[in-house]
Amino acid sequence: MARSCGGPEDSLPALWWWYLFLSADAQEVATFTVQYRVLEEVPPGTVIGSLAEHFEGGESGEAAETFQLMETPGRFPLRVGSGDGVLSTAGRVDREQLCRHADPCWVSFDVLAAQNPALIHVEVQVVDINDNAPRFPTPELELEISESASLRTRIPLDRAMDADAGPNARCSYALSPSEHFALEVVSGSDGTRHAELVVVKEVDRELHSSFDLVLTATDHGEPPKSGTALIKVIVLDSNDNSPVFAESSLTVEVREDAQPGTLLVTVTATDPDQGPNGEIEYSLSRHAPPEVLSTFSIDARTGSILLRLPLDYEETHAYELDVQARDLGANPIPAHCKVLVKVLDVNDNAPDVHVTWATRVPVLSEALPKDSFVALVTASDPDSGSNGQVLCSLSQGYEHFRLKRTNSHSFALLTNASLDRERRAEYNLTLVVRDMGDLSLAVLKHLTICISDVNDNAPAFEKAAYEAAVAENSEAPAFLLTVHATDPDLGFNGKVTYRILDPSALGLVSVDPVTGDVFALQAFDYEQVRSLEFLVTAEDGGHPKLASNISIRLAVLDRNDNAPIITVPALVGGVATLSVLVNVDTGCCWVVPGNGSTQGAVAVTNSTLVSCPGSPFLFTIVARDMDSGVNGALRYELLGGDDSGLFILDPLLGQVSLNTSNASSLAGSQRELLVRVSDQGDTPLHTLARLRLLFRHHGAFSKMSARDPGWPSLSVVLIICLAALLGACLLLLALTLSLRKKDKKDGMAYNCREAEDARRQQQLKKPHRQIQ
């Protein structure tokens, strides 16, 4: 009967033994046959043999096997040691009960060995002992004989039956001493032996009206056993002739499917007498067993033997009938004929199928390798010959399983491919078992095999990678995204949890272990962290655990949270003072710090900036914004201080230019400009700066500076050098005042002044650099 597959928890308790079986190497299950002998009637617990001795290291106990009895061997009481494979009796062993007709008596069963995967077919011969005495059908047999019976007249006697086998069932007969009767043993055509009473001396009714004889049957056992029957011979008045059968014994065969009323055979006896003394009446001996009298009947006038009840070859192979024929005269003397009815087998039994699973329930682990043992299929047919030979096969379409014959009536169901519960969780197989008779009979047996889950699948994310974005300065915790992984396994094997093991992301992000929701644990600053890439691990709950990782790229979105910062010119309290030196002759001017130092031009523009007619550029305002994109794009504006339109400010470059052809008119004046630097964010941020411009006159020095702006700096250096040289000369003069005369002192001073003048003239003759 098919069954549906339950959940994984249904199969777990049943798989304890099966997982032990899986510890063996993945190889095809070996099959072999072992034979043992045991005497019947041995005490319970008698050891029959040990299966462990058939495996390497089995006798020493080094290799621990696990043995499982696959089927109960009928009425044979058996115990199999699961660890050592010791076979022992578990109750009374009665050969006559186990094998009613068979000799020798074999009991077979199968045992599965797990460590070295093998299916062992065990055959145990139950050896007969002489524990049964011969028995006659009835304890007393009454016979009639005419006093005119001739010598050598023979009267068949009932055969003694012995339930034992072989010599223990072979009987010898003996008759108590008698001068009128003797005993002869006759073998039938089928090999059976029965005794016949033979008249060896004429009887006289007036002297002996009856005789009491004792018939003894003794078997050939060791020691022999015997049984007796009382034969009472009644002597009747003379009857000239007795009926005579054409044959004293005959054999007839009948198919077991013969219908009641079938004519089996007609026996014929003749009697030469006339009238009633020659008329013959047929009957079955009243001493016949009840099953014979109920199964057969005989026509009293014709001698036709008819079948009364259906026959069953599997129940009784043969019947022995004792037919009597007597005439209707006074004091008839019956004649006897033995009829042996042999029952012929017909294919009237379909095979019987029994399936023994390797586990308590038909649940297989999907981790089973190919050629693993699944179940033992035992197919039997009580018919004989080819009618009882069976074939077993699987219906088409089940390539994952196959059958392997292990012996004449057993088949091993094996896996023929690897199993995958995620692809197929249940198999519905159909066993077809048919016999090999002329009119073959077949049975179908449906099997449902459930596949149990193992943790063979790691969680799989639905995407190859994830991307998320979060605005900077977002309030923490902030939801980012949800990751999702699936695991096709069952139960804990398919329960997915999430976690972040990436050390670079610890403290920054987290993931909900159940839902896969990813959160930012703190606010991000775009100016410090623009992106973050980390791994999320999905792990199942199996043993061992399986896991997979997914990469998440988090982009931090910029917000306009930084106002522009003016870096040039340097502001103090939002104010910068710049000196603009104006050459009144050329109209050129350049920017220096408010104290008039020429080094200020370098500080402002990082280069020499000179504004002359035709080149109105004056200086550049430099600003920066930490934001990006439009949030960091700057725009420059003049908000005040240029009412006359004297200055031009480039809104994108921040360059300040003069809107006049001659700046000499500005000498001695002062201007204050209000500049605003703004970004272009959605909500713009800005910075204000006040620039004070001081325009100063600059004469001849300005001319030289116009030709060579580097000159002022060089003049300062020369003056310092000359001063140091003059100091050295004065020191030298002071030291030599006491040694030299005053006129020499004056000459030395004169020489020093000449040297100084000469150096100055040489410096002035050097060519001037072109102003860039």
Side-chain angles (χ1 to χ4, degrees), residues 203 278 358 452 527 623 676 727 751:
V203 295
S452 66
E527 287 70 40
R676 180 173 65 184
N751 291 334

Side-chain angles (χ1 to χ4, degrees), residues 354-686:
H354 179 71
V355 178
T356 306
W357 300 96
T359 57
R360 295 178 183 173
V361 291
V363 178
L364 306 182
S365 168
E366 65 175 326
L368 277 181
K370 183 177 180 290
D371 295 324
S372 294
F373 179 80
V374 177
L376 178 68
V377 179
T378 304
S380 60
D381 193 318
D383 295 324
S384 63
S386 60
N387 295 331
Q389 298 177 8
V390 295
L391 293 176
C392 185
S393 63
L394 285 173
S395 58
Q396 298 297 321
Y398 301 110
E399 66 280 359
H400 285 82
F401 299 90
R402 66 183 177 92
L403 287 172
K404 176 185 177 182
R405 182 184 285 272
T406 58
N407 51 63
S408 61
H409 66 281
S410 296
F411 301 83
L413 180 63
L414 307 174
T415 58
N416 199 39
S418 59
L419 306 175
D420 189 351
R421 188 207 62 81
E422 288 70 43
R423 292 187 177 182
R424 189 167 183 176
E426 178 180 306
Y427 291 87
N428 293 303
L429 308 182
T430 301
L431 289 174
V432 181
V433 184
R434 64 176 65 251
D435 59 36
M436 299 178 66
D438 292 336
L439 297 176
S440 179
L441 299 178
V443 294
L444 303 179
K445 190 172 184 66
H446 301 285
L447 307 178
T448 298
I449 299 177
C450 300
I451 308 302
S452 66
D453 184 59
V454 297
N455 194 22
D456 58 345
N457 291 280
F461 286 94
E462 60 184 7
K463 295 182 179 180
Y466 287 88
E467 293 184 354
V470 61
E472 67 170 329
N473 301 324
S474 296
E475 183 178 356
F479 173 77
L480 301 179
L481 77 161
T482 299
V483 296
H484 185 253
T486 57
D487 193 321
D489 294 325
L490 293 179
F492 286 104
N493 295 334
K495 185 177 181 180
V496 179
T497 57
Y498 306 91
R499 56 178 175 163
I500 296 176
L501 300 178
D502 196 337
S504 63
L506 295 179
L508 300 178
V509 290
S510 68
V511 61
D512 188 293
V514 177
T515 64
D517 294 339
V518 181
F519 296 89
L521 297 179
Q522 65 179 32
F524 289 94
D525 186 352
Y526 174 82
E527 287 70 40
Q528 294 183 1
V529 179
R530 298 196 173 190
S531 65
L532 178 65
E533 189 168 353
F534 56 94
L535 297 178
V536 172
T537 299
E539 188 177 63
D540 60 32
H543 183 76
K545 297 179 182 293
L546 298 178
S548 59
N549 298 321
I550 194 71
S551 175
I552 298 180
R553 182 175 178 82
L554 177 63
V556 180
L557 303 180
D558 181 50
R559 282 182 175 177
N560 193 19
D561 59 342
N562 290 281
I565 298 175
I566 298 176
T567 58
V568 177
L571 301 179
V572 177
V575 178
T577 300
L578 302 176
S579 294
V580 181
L581 302 182
V582 180
N583 189 313
V584 295
D585 296 332
T586 62
C588 294
C589 60
W590 61 91
V591 179
V592 296
N595 57 8
S597 172
T598 56
Q599 296 178 1
V602 180
V604 173
T605 63
N606 204 25
S607 63
T608 302
L609 301 176
V610 179
S611 177
C612 294
S615 178
F617 171 71
L618 190 59
F619 63 92
T620 299
I621 301 174
V622 180
R624 60 183 177 85
D625 194 315
M626 298 296 292
D627 297 323
S628 65
V630 295
N631 295 330
L634 302 182
R635 186 175 183 86
Y636 301 85
E637 299 177 81
L638 279 177
L639 297 183
D642 186 27
D643 298 336
S644 58
L646 183 61
F647 300 93
I648 299 175
L649 176 58
D650 189 306
L652 299 179
L653 301 178
Q655 294 178 348
V656 179
S657 302
L658 291 176
N659 190 18
T660 180
S661 59
N662 189 356
S664 58
S665 61
L666 297 174
S669 65
Q670 177 178 331
R671 296 286 190 276
E672 184 174 295
L673 303 179
L674 179 60
V675 177
R676 180 173 65 184
V677 182
S678 305
D679 57 36
Q680 299 184 38
D682 293 336
T683 303
L685 300 178
H686 65 270

